[in-house]
Amino acid sequence: FWVAGGRLDRLGSKPVLGFTMAAGALATLGWALVSGGVLPQSIGPAAALAFLVGLCNALFSIANNRLAMGIVPAMGRNHFFALFAVVWQLTLGISPILWGILLDAVGSRTFTSLGFEWNRFSIFFVLAMAAFAYTFTLARRLDEPRAAGAHAMLHELLIQHPQKWLVRLFGR
């Protein structure tokens, strides 16, 4: 939260949601490449991908809750948040069951195409990547009154933030 809190207040939830969806798609692409045999199965890539997925999950949760708090009218707010929490948690609870059914349906069947092994895990991660990409397009349509554009967040992350660290390390 100490990294994202200020950015959420300045930029809004919408750019952070878009960033987490794009980063989540990249992370699942990495997992697909590992499960498809393109990248090596070692602790280094697994730790980096797990860290990225955890960071995306935390940022998404913060931004999603903040957006919900910002757009819900005061009248009926308690009821909305109760319903919001139940639906969100049920979705999070049911999705592993549905993915497990898909994994079992694919079974041990595999085939290789252009050096990529299509197996139940690589199919899972490719579909998860597609879900992230689709959710990214849906997040762009969200209506948040005071949200900055995605370019503002990218400018802050890729230009302003590194400049601050360079100034701290080397002075002006």
Side-chain angles (χ1 to χ4, degrees), residues 31-121:
W31 282 115
L33 292 174
V34 169
S35 62
V38 176
L39 293 178
Q41 295 181 4
S42 64
I43 193 71
L49 291 170
F51 177 79
L52 182 59
V53 168
L55 179 66
C56 289
N57 225 356
L59 286 174
F60 180 83
S61 295
I62 292 169
N64 195 31
N65 281 323
R66 184 183 179 283
L67 179 64
M69 285 189 273
I71 62 173
V72 173
M75 180 69 106
R77 184 170 281 172
N78 292 340
H79 298 291
F80 171 80
F81 279 117
L83 182 63
F84 172 75
V86 167
V87 170
W88 189 6
Q89 297 306 316
L90 279 174
T91 303
L92 288 174
I94 290 172
S95 63
I97 296 169
L98 296 177
W99 284 115
I101 292 170
L102 171 72
L103 291 174
D104 288 344
V106 172
S108 61
R109 286 173 250 160
T110 64
F111 71 94
T112 303
S113 174
L114 300 173
F116 185 83
E117 180 183 306
W118 290 94
N119 56 48
R120 63 176 137 191
F121 302 110

